[in-house]
Amino acid sequence: MVPVIRELARCYQAFQRASDAHIRHSGLTPPQFDIVVTLGNTDGMTFKDLGNRTLITKGTLTGVVDRLEARGLVARAASPTDGRSTLVKLTPEGERLFHRVFEPHLAFLAPAFESLPECGRKELEKRLRQLRLALEKRSQDLARQG
Amino acid sequence: MVPVIRELARCYQAFQRASDAHIRHSGLTPPQFDIVVTLGNTDGMTFKDLGNRTLITKGTLTGVVDRLEARGLVARAASPTDGRSTLVKLTPEGERLFHRVFEPHLAFLAPAFESLPECGRKELEKRLRQLRLALEKRSQDLARQG
DNA sequence: TATTGTTATACTCTATAACTATA
DNA sequence: TATAGTTATAGAGTATAACAATA
Protein backbone atom coordinates (compact mmCIF):
# COMPACT_ATOMS: atom_id res chain seq x y z
CA MET A 1 0.00 0.00 0.00
CA VAL A 2 2.78 2.46 0.78
CA PRO A 3 4.20 2.34 -2.77
CA VAL A 4 0.93 3.37 -4.33
CA ILE A 5 0.46 6.16 -1.80
CA ARG A 6 3.93 7.38 -2.57
CA GLU A 7 3.24 7.34 -6.29
CA LEU A 8 -0.03 9.17 -5.83
CA ALA A 9 1.68 11.88 -3.81
CA ARG A 10 4.65 12.14 -6.16
CA CYS A 11 2.48 12.19 -9.26
CA TYR A 12 0.26 14.94 -7.93
CA GLN A 13 3.35 16.81 -6.78
CA ALA A 14 4.76 16.59 -10.31
CA PHE A 15 1.42 17.78 -11.63
CA GLN A 16 1.46 20.74 -9.25
CA ARG A 17 5.04 21.62 -10.02
CA ALA A 18 4.36 21.61 -13.75
CA SER A 19 1.13 23.56 -13.29
CA ASP A 20 2.28 26.17 -10.82
CA ALA A 21 5.06 27.59 -12.93
CA HIS A 22 2.61 27.94 -15.78
CA ILE A 23 -0.19 29.32 -13.65
CA ARG A 24 1.89 32.06 -12.15
CA HIS A 25 2.01 33.78 -15.51
CA SER A 26 -1.68 34.54 -14.97
CA GLY A 27 -0.85 36.55 -11.85
CA LEU A 28 -3.10 34.26 -9.80
CA THR A 29 -2.09 32.27 -6.76
CA PRO A 30 -2.84 28.53 -6.86
CA PRO A 31 -5.98 28.83 -4.68
CA GLN A 32 -7.23 31.73 -6.80
CA PHE A 33 -6.61 29.74 -9.96
CA ASP A 34 -8.42 26.84 -8.37
CA ILE A 35 -11.49 29.02 -7.84
CA VAL A 36 -11.39 30.50 -11.34
CA VAL A 37 -11.14 27.04 -12.91
CA THR A 38 -13.94 25.71 -10.71
CA LEU A 39 -16.18 28.59 -11.78
CA GLY A 40 -15.22 28.29 -15.45
CA ASN A 41 -17.99 26.98 -17.73
CA THR A 42 -20.61 27.27 -15.00
CA ASP A 43 -23.26 29.87 -14.20
CA GLY A 44 -21.73 30.41 -10.79
CA MET A 45 -22.17 28.63 -7.50
CA THR A 46 -22.47 29.26 -3.78
CA PHE A 47 -19.61 29.54 -1.31
CA LYS A 48 -20.70 26.21 0.07
CA ASP A 49 -20.36 24.53 -3.32
CA LEU A 50 -16.99 26.16 -3.91
CA GLY A 51 -15.79 24.89 -0.57
CA ASN A 52 -16.89 21.35 -1.39
CA ARG A 53 -15.13 21.32 -4.73
CA THR A 54 -11.84 22.66 -3.44
CA LEU A 55 -9.95 22.20 -0.20
CA ILE A 56 -10.66 25.80 0.85
CA THR A 57 -12.74 26.25 3.97
CA LYS A 58 -15.34 28.96 4.35
CA GLY A 59 -13.36 31.45 6.41
CA THR A 60 -10.50 31.34 3.92
CA LEU A 61 -12.82 31.39 0.94
CA THR A 62 -14.19 34.79 1.91
CA GLY A 63 -10.67 36.21 1.65
CA VAL A 64 -9.78 34.47 -1.61
CA VAL A 65 -13.02 35.61 -3.24
CA ASP A 66 -12.50 39.14 -1.86
CA ARG A 67 -9.16 39.34 -3.67
CA LEU A 68 -10.61 38.00 -6.92
CA GLU A 69 -13.51 40.42 -6.64
CA ALA A 70 -11.16 43.34 -5.98
CA ARG A 71 -9.47 42.47 -9.26
CA GLY A 72 -12.76 42.37 -11.10
CA LEU A 73 -12.55 38.68 -11.93
CA VAL A 74 -15.57 37.42 -10.00
CA ALA A 75 -18.77 38.97 -8.65
CA ARG A 76 -21.03 38.13 -5.74
CA ALA A 77 -24.81 38.00 -6.11
CA ALA A 78 -27.55 37.13 -3.66
CA SER A 79 -29.08 33.71 -4.13
CA PRO A 80 -32.65 33.99 -5.43
CA THR A 81 -33.69 30.87 -3.54
CA ASP A 82 -31.93 31.09 -0.17
CA GLY A 83 -31.38 34.37 1.61
CA ARG A 84 -28.38 32.99 3.47
CA SER A 85 -26.51 32.04 0.32
CA THR A 86 -24.27 34.08 -1.93
CA LEU A 87 -23.54 33.11 -5.50
CA VAL A 88 -20.09 33.68 -6.95
CA LYS A 89 -19.53 33.81 -10.69
CA LEU A 90 -16.91 34.90 -13.15
CA THR A 91 -17.26 38.39 -14.60
CA PRO A 92 -16.72 38.81 -18.34
CA GLU A 93 -13.13 39.71 -17.49
CA GLY A 94 -12.88 36.56 -15.37
CA GLU A 95 -14.21 34.51 -18.28
CA ARG A 96 -11.60 36.02 -20.56
CA LEU A 97 -8.85 35.21 -18.10
CA PHE A 98 -10.16 31.67 -17.72
CA HIS A 99 -10.00 31.05 -21.46
CA ARG A 100 -6.71 32.86 -21.90
CA VAL A 101 -5.03 30.82 -19.16
CA PHE A 102 -6.78 27.49 -18.92
CA GLU A 103 -6.65 26.33 -22.50
CA PRO A 104 -2.93 27.03 -22.98
CA HIS A 105 -2.40 25.37 -19.63
CA LEU A 106 -4.08 22.20 -20.88
CA ALA A 107 -2.10 22.42 -24.10
CA PHE A 108 1.07 22.67 -22.06
CA LEU A 109 0.20 19.57 -20.01
CA ALA A 110 -1.14 17.59 -22.96
CA PRO A 111 2.15 15.99 -24.07
CA ALA A 112 2.55 14.41 -20.64
CA PHE A 113 -0.94 12.92 -20.60
CA GLU A 114 -0.73 11.86 -24.22
CA SER A 115 2.44 9.95 -23.50
CA LEU A 116 0.21 7.36 -21.86
CA PRO A 117 -1.62 5.08 -24.28
CA GLU A 118 -5.33 5.75 -24.56
CA CYS A 119 -6.16 2.55 -22.68
CA GLY A 120 -3.71 3.56 -19.95
CA ARG A 121 -5.49 6.87 -19.44
CA LYS A 122 -8.84 5.11 -19.21
CA GLU A 123 -7.43 2.58 -16.79
CA LEU A 124 -5.84 5.30 -14.66
CA GLU A 125 -9.03 7.31 -14.62
CA LYS A 126 -11.05 4.30 -13.54
CA ARG A 127 -8.66 3.34 -10.74
CA LEU A 128 -8.39 6.89 -9.48
CA ARG A 129 -12.15 7.14 -9.31
CA GLN A 130 -12.40 3.88 -7.37
CA LEU A 131 -9.77 5.05 -4.93
CA ARG A 132 -11.33 8.47 -4.55
CA LEU A 133 -14.71 7.02 -3.70
CA ALA A 134 -13.11 4.74 -1.12
CA LEU A 135 -11.18 7.67 0.38
CA GLU A 136 -14.31 9.80 0.56
CA LYS A 137 -16.02 6.96 2.37
CA ARG A 138 -13.09 6.89 4.81
CA SER A 139 -13.53 10.59 5.58
CA GLN A 140 -17.20 10.02 6.21
CA ASP A 141 -16.40 7.15 8.54
CA LEU A 142 -14.03 9.42 10.46
CA ALA A 143 -16.60 12.20 10.66
CA ARG A 144 -19.19 9.94 12.19
CA GLN A 145 -16.44 8.67 14.48
CA GLY A 146 -14.01 6.29 12.74
CA MET B 1 -7.42 14.22 -21.16
CA VAL B 2 -9.51 16.52 -19.00
CA PRO B 3 -11.36 13.63 -17.30
CA VAL B 4 -8.16 12.00 -16.10
CA ILE B 5 -6.80 15.33 -14.85
CA ARG B 6 -10.01 15.89 -12.98
CA GLU B 7 -9.83 12.44 -11.41
CA LEU B 8 -6.21 12.93 -10.43
CA ALA B 9 -7.03 16.22 -8.74
CA ARG B 10 -10.16 14.89 -7.05
CA CYS B 11 -8.45 11.73 -5.88
CA TYR B 12 -5.54 13.59 -4.36
CA GLN B 13 -7.99 16.04 -2.83
CA ALA B 14 -9.88 13.16 -1.23
CA PHE B 15 -6.56 11.78 0.00
CA GLN B 16 -5.65 15.14 1.51
CA ARG B 17 -9.03 15.61 3.10
CA ALA B 18 -8.87 12.17 4.71
CA SER B 19 -5.25 12.75 5.79
CA ASP B 20 -5.47 16.27 7.12
CA ALA B 21 -8.13 15.61 9.70
CA HIS B 22 -6.05 12.74 10.97
CA ILE B 23 -2.75 14.61 10.82
CA ARG B 24 -3.97 17.54 12.83
CA HIS B 25 -4.12 15.31 15.89
CA SER B 26 -0.33 15.33 15.79
CA GLY B 27 -0.26 19.10 16.28
CA LEU B 28 1.69 19.45 13.03
CA THR B 29 0.71 21.54 10.02
CA PRO B 30 0.59 19.68 6.70
CA PRO B 31 3.99 21.02 5.54
CA GLN B 32 5.53 20.07 8.89
CA PHE B 33 4.03 16.60 8.66
CA ASP B 34 5.36 16.36 5.13
CA ILE B 35 8.88 17.04 6.39
CA VAL B 36 8.61 14.62 9.30
CA VAL B 37 7.39 11.85 7.00
CA THR B 38 10.09 12.60 4.45
CA LEU B 39 12.74 12.33 7.17
CA GLY B 40 11.22 9.20 8.70
CA ASN B 41 13.26 6.02 8.20
CA THR B 42 16.26 7.95 6.87
CA ASP B 43 19.53 9.11 8.41
CA GLY B 44 18.63 12.69 7.56
CA MET B 45 19.14 14.72 4.45
CA THR B 46 20.12 18.18 3.27
CA PHE B 47 17.77 21.13 2.79
CA LYS B 48 18.26 20.72 -0.91
CA ASP B 49 17.09 17.10 -0.81
CA LEU B 50 14.12 18.04 1.35
CA GLY B 51 13.17 20.73 -1.11
CA ASN B 52 13.32 18.29 -4.01
CA ARG B 53 11.14 15.73 -2.29
CA THR B 54 8.46 18.18 -1.25
CA LEU B 55 7.00 21.26 -2.87
CA ILE B 56 8.61 23.52 -0.27
CA THR B 57 11.16 26.00 -1.55
CA LYS B 58 14.33 26.85 0.32
CA GLY B 59 13.28 30.15 1.89
CA THR B 60 10.14 28.55 3.26
CA LEU B 61 11.97 25.43 4.33
CA THR B 62 14.18 27.39 6.72
CA GLY B 63 11.07 28.55 8.57
CA VAL B 64 9.35 25.17 8.62
CA VAL B 65 12.51 23.48 9.92
CA ASP B 66 12.97 26.28 12.47
CA ARG B 67 9.54 25.53 13.93
CA LEU B 68 10.16 21.80 14.02
CA GLU B 69 13.54 22.39 15.63
CA ALA B 70 12.03 24.72 18.23
CA ARG B 71 9.71 21.87 19.17
CA GLY B 72 12.61 19.46 19.47
CA LEU B 73 11.46 17.24 16.60
CA VAL B 74 14.38 17.73 14.23
CA ALA B 75 18.01 18.82 14.55
CA ARG B 76 20.42 20.52 12.18
CA ALA B 77 23.98 19.25 11.71
CA ALA B 78 26.79 20.42 9.47
CA SER B 79 27.45 18.21 6.46
CA PRO B 80 30.78 16.40 6.81
CA THR B 81 31.38 16.54 3.06
CA ASP B 82 30.21 19.99 1.99
CA GLY B 83 30.68 23.04 4.17
CA ARG B 84 27.73 24.79 2.54
CA SER B 85 25.25 22.06 3.34
CA THR B 86 23.20 21.42 6.43
CA LEU B 87 21.77 18.04 7.30
CA VAL B 88 18.36 17.79 8.91
CA LYS B 89 17.30 14.72 10.82
CA LEU B 90 14.66 13.59 13.25
CA THR B 91 15.55 13.71 16.93
CA PRO B 92 14.57 10.71 19.08
CA GLU B 93 11.45 12.65 19.97
CA GLY B 94 10.80 13.27 16.28
CA GLU B 95 11.20 9.56 15.61
CA ARG B 96 8.70 8.77 18.30
CA LEU B 97 6.22 11.24 16.86
CA PHE B 98 6.76 9.79 13.40
CA HIS B 99 5.93 6.30 14.56
CA ARG B 100 3.10 7.41 16.79
CA VAL B 101 1.43 9.35 13.98
CA PHE B 102 2.43 7.77 10.73
CA GLU B 103 1.58 4.16 11.35
CA PRO B 104 -1.92 4.83 12.69
CA HIS B 105 -2.32 7.18 9.78
CA LEU B 106 -1.54 4.36 7.34
CA ALA B 107 -3.83 2.05 9.25
CA PHE B 108 -6.59 4.62 8.97
CA LEU B 109 -6.13 4.92 5.20
CA ALA B 110 -5.65 1.20 4.63
CA PRO B 111 -9.29 0.23 4.13
CA ALA B 112 -9.56 2.66 1.24
CA PHE B 113 -6.49 1.33 -0.53
CA GLU B 114 -7.39 -2.25 0.20
CA SER B 115 -10.77 -1.77 -1.41
CA LEU B 116 -8.92 -1.90 -4.71
CA PRO B 117 -7.95 -5.39 -5.84
CA GLU B 118 -4.24 -6.15 -5.60
CA CYS B 119 -3.86 -6.03 -9.39
CA GLY B 120 -5.66 -2.68 -9.42
CA ARG B 121 -3.16 -1.19 -6.99
CA LYS B 122 -0.25 -2.45 -9.08
CA GLU B 123 -1.85 -1.08 -12.20
CA LEU B 124 -2.54 2.28 -10.59
CA GLU B 125 0.99 2.51 -9.24
CA LYS B 126 2.45 1.76 -12.66
CA ARG B 127 0.29 4.30 -14.47
CA LEU B 128 0.93 6.98 -11.87
CA ARG B 129 4.66 6.46 -12.24
CA GLN B 130 4.44 6.73 -16.01
CA LEU B 131 2.47 9.92 -15.75
CA ARG B 132 4.76 11.40 -13.13
CA LEU B 133 7.83 10.82 -15.24
CA ALA B 134 6.12 12.46 -18.21
CA LEU B 135 5.07 15.43 -16.05
CA GLU B 136 8.57 15.84 -14.68
CA LYS B 137 9.86 15.88 -18.22
CA ARG B 138 7.32 18.60 -19.02
CA SER B 139 8.64 20.76 -16.15
CA GLN B 140 12.15 20.30 -17.43
CA ASP B 141 11.05 21.32 -20.89
CA LEU B 142 9.48 24.45 -19.46
CA ALA B 143 12.59 25.27 -17.43
CA ARG B 144 14.80 25.16 -20.47
CA GLN B 145 12.06 27.16 -22.09
CA GLY B 146 9.18 25.15 -23.53
C1' DT C 1 -31.95 25.10 16.25
C1' DA C 2 -29.14 24.63 12.13
C1' DT C 3 -26.92 26.74 8.22
C1' DT C 4 -24.55 30.45 5.25
C1' DG C 5 -21.26 33.52 4.97
C1' DT C 6 -18.47 37.24 7.45
C1' DT C 7 -15.29 38.90 10.81
C1' DA C 8 -11.33 38.75 14.04
C1' DT C 9 -7.09 36.88 15.58
C1' DA C 10 -2.91 34.78 15.42
C1' DC C 11 0.07 32.06 12.99
C1' DT C 12 2.06 29.62 9.00
C1' DC C 13 3.25 29.38 4.47
C1' DT C 14 4.82 31.59 0.23
C1' DA C 15 7.52 34.18 -3.42
C1' DT C 16 11.13 37.02 -4.11
C1' DA C 17 15.40 38.87 -3.78
C1' DA C 18 19.51 40.20 -1.36
C1' DC C 19 22.97 38.19 1.48
C1' DT C 20 26.86 34.87 3.65
C1' DA C 21 29.82 31.25 3.32
C1' DT C 22 31.54 27.85 1.11
C1' DA C 23 32.90 25.32 -3.48
C1' DT D 1 31.14 31.94 -10.78
C1' DA D 2 27.92 28.79 -8.89
C1' DT D 3 25.63 26.62 -5.01
C1' DA D 4 23.59 25.95 -0.04
C1' DG D 5 21.26 27.97 3.24
C1' DT D 6 19.66 32.35 5.79
C1' DT D 7 17.37 36.63 6.26
C1' DA D 8 13.97 40.29 5.25
C1' DT D 9 9.69 41.75 3.53
C1' DA D 10 5.16 41.75 2.17
C1' DG D 11 1.35 39.29 1.08
C1' DA D 12 -1.62 35.19 1.03
C1' DG D 13 -3.55 31.22 3.00
C1' DT D 14 -5.04 28.71 7.28
C1' DA D 15 -7.57 27.15 11.64
C1' DT D 16 -10.53 28.51 14.90
C1' DA D 17 -14.19 30.52 17.04
C1' DA D 18 -17.63 34.03 17.61
C1' DC D 19 -21.09 36.48 15.05
C1' DA D 20 -25.31 38.14 12.05
C1' DA D 21 -28.89 36.93 9.07
C1' DT D 22 -31.83 33.62 7.35
C1' DA D 23 -33.99 28.96 7.19
Side-chain angles (χ1 to χ4, degrees):
Chain A
M1 160 183 166
V2 171
V4 69
I5 292 186
R6 189 180 357 252
E7 278 304 333
L8 176 63
R10 293 185 71 185
C11 186
Y12 188 75
Q13 209 171 70
F15 173 73
Q16 282 288 91
R17 222 190 281 261
S19 296
D20 283 6
H22 212 254
I23 287 167
R24 243 176 280 289
H25 289 296
S26 66
L28 298 176
T29 64
Q32 288 167 8
F33 182 74
D34 201 2
I35 296 300
V36 169
V37 169
T38 303
L39 290 175
N41 294 327
T42 75
D43 289 331
M45 62 186 75
T46 65
F47 275 82
K48 182 177 167 54
D49 289 337
L50 274 175
N52 286 337
R53 292 180 201 226
T54 62
L55 290 178
I56 307 175
T57 51
K58 62 180 184 175
T60 304
L61 202 47
T62 296
V64 176
V65 169
D66 282 349
R67 276 163 227 123
L68 289 171
E69 195 172 26
R71 294 176 53 179
L73 299 173
V74 305
R76 284 171 163 93
S79 163
T81 57
D82 186 333
R84 297 168 301 181
S85 278
T86 304
L87 295 171
V88 186
K89 66 174 295 191
L90 294 179
T91 59
E93 192 182 335
E95 294 278 2
R96 278 196 297 277
L97 180 75
F98 172 67
H99 289 294
R100 201 179 70 233
V101 170
F102 191 59
E103 277 150 28
H105 182 228
L106 288 182
F108 168 69
L109 293 174
F113 285 89
E114 285 162 5
S115 76
L116 286 142
E118 172 67 18
C119 68
R121 281 204 294 281
K122 282 289 171 218
E123 198 178 272
L124 179 57
E125 186 186 330
K126 175 182 153 197
R127 294 304 183 186
L128 285 170
R129 183 167 44 246
Q130 286 183 327
L131 178 57
R132 168 175 64 82
L133 292 170
L135 286 166
E136 287 174 351
K137 188 161 174 310
R138 212 70 202 91
S139 287
Q140 287 162 19
D141 291 350
L142 180 65
R144 66 164 181 285
Q145 88 114 348
Chain B
M1 160 183 165
V2 171
V4 69
I5 292 186
R6 188 178 0 250
E7 278 306 331
L8 176 63
R10 293 185 71 184
C11 186
Y12 188 76
Q13 207 171 72
F15 173 71
Q16 282 289 91
R17 222 189 281 260
S19 296
D20 284 5
H22 213 254
I23 288 167
R24 243 176 279 289
H25 288 296
S26 66
L28 298 176
T29 64
Q32 288 167 7
F33 182 74
D34 200 2
I35 297 299
V36 169
V37 169
T38 303
L39 291 174
N41 294 328
T42 76
D43 289 331
M45 63 186 76
T46 64
F47 275 83
K48 183 176 167 56
D49 289 338
L50 275 175
N52 287 337
R53 290 180 202 227
T54 62
L55 289 179
I56 307 176
T57 52
K58 63 180 183 176
T60 304
L61 202 47
T62 295
V64 176
V65 169
D66 282 350
R67 276 162 227 125
L68 289 171
E69 195 172 27
R71 294 175 53 176
L73 299 173
V74 306
R76 283 173 164 92
S79 162
T81 57
D82 186 332
R84 297 167 301 181
S85 278
T86 304
L87 296 171
V88 187
K89 67 175 294 191
L90 293 179
T91 60
E93 191 181 335
E95 294 277 2
R96 279 196 296 278
L97 179 75
F98 171 68
H99 290 294
R100 201 179 72 233
V101 170
F102 191 59
E103 277 151 29
H105 182 227
L106 288 182
F108 167 70
L109 293 175
F113 285 89
E114 284 161 6
S115 75
L116 287 149
E118 172 67 18
C119 68
R121 281 204 293 281
K122 283 291 171 215
E123 198 179 272
L124 179 57
E125 186 186 331
K126 177 183 152 197
R127 295 304 183 184
L128 286 170
R129 183 166 44 247
Q130 286 183 327
L131 178 58
R132 168 175 63 82
L133 292 170
L135 285 165
E136 287 174 350
K137 187 159 175 311
R138 212 68 203 93
S139 288
Q140 288 161 19
D141 292 349
L142 180 65
R144 66 165 179 286
Q145 99 119 328

